[in-house]
């Protein structure tokens, strides 16, 4: 498992509920690597930080296009994946505060 920070120049990650983490690496340092799974956490404003990270977006799109697994929880399926078209045509669910924004409500 590799935990990567999308915050430029900082391994420190402050989570939505105030929990502090120290990432293993910066996202740019692993952007060219292949992973079995890319899992994106949720929470706000973290989902926005993930959405705004070009390296992570490129990695998730490449993961999807290669048929490898990718996942997101909480607000991230809507804020990042849907916002960037990553889950177009796919079934997805999200935190109840965001799930009504998903076009396919069949698995919510």
């Amino acid at each position: 498992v590799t935990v990567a920070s999308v915050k430029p120049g900082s391994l420190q990650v402050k989570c939505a509920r105030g929990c502090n983490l120290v990432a293993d690496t910066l996202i740019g340092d692993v952007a060219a690597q292949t992973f079995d799974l890319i899992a994106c956490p949720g929470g706000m404003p973290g989902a926005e930080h993930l959405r705004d990270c070009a390296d992570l977006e490129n990695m998730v799109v490449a993961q999807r296009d290669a048929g490898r697994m990718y996942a997101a929880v909480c607000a991230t399926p809507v804020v990042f994946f849907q916002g960037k078209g990553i889950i177009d045509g796919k079934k997805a669910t999200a935190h109840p505060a965001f799930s009504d924004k998903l076009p396919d409500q069949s698995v919510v």
Side-chain angles (χ1 to χ4, degrees):
V1 174
T2 301
V3 177
S5 172
V6 299
K7 186 175 179 183
S10 178
L11 295 177
Q12 299 290 326
V13 178
K14 183 167 184 139
C15 302
R17 303 281 183 206
C19 177
N20 292 302
L21 304 174
V22 178
D24 301 315
T25 189
L26 299 174
I27 195 75
D29 295 339
V30 295
Q33 291 184 23
T34 300
F35 293 92
D36 294 326
L37 165 70
I38 296 175
C40 298
M44 293 296 283
E48 295 169 326
H49 298 306
L50 299 175
R51 175 200 63 206
D52 296 341
C53 178
D55 282 335
L56 181 58
E57 178 183 355
N58 293 336
M59 291 173 70
V60 173
V61 168
Q63 190 84 355
R64 178 201 62 197
D65 292 350
R68 292 188 305 271
M69 293 186 289
Y70 58 100
V73 298
C74 196
T76 301
V78 172
V79 174
F80 175 20
F81 284 11
Q82 181 177 311
K84 297 289 187 171
I86 292 169
I87 56 171
D88 287 352
K90 304 279 186 196
K91 291 182 179 184
T93 191
H95 186 280
F98 294 87
S99 61
D100 64 329
K101 296 167 183 69
L102 292 166
D104 182 345
Q105 294 287 303
S106 68
V107 295
V108 173

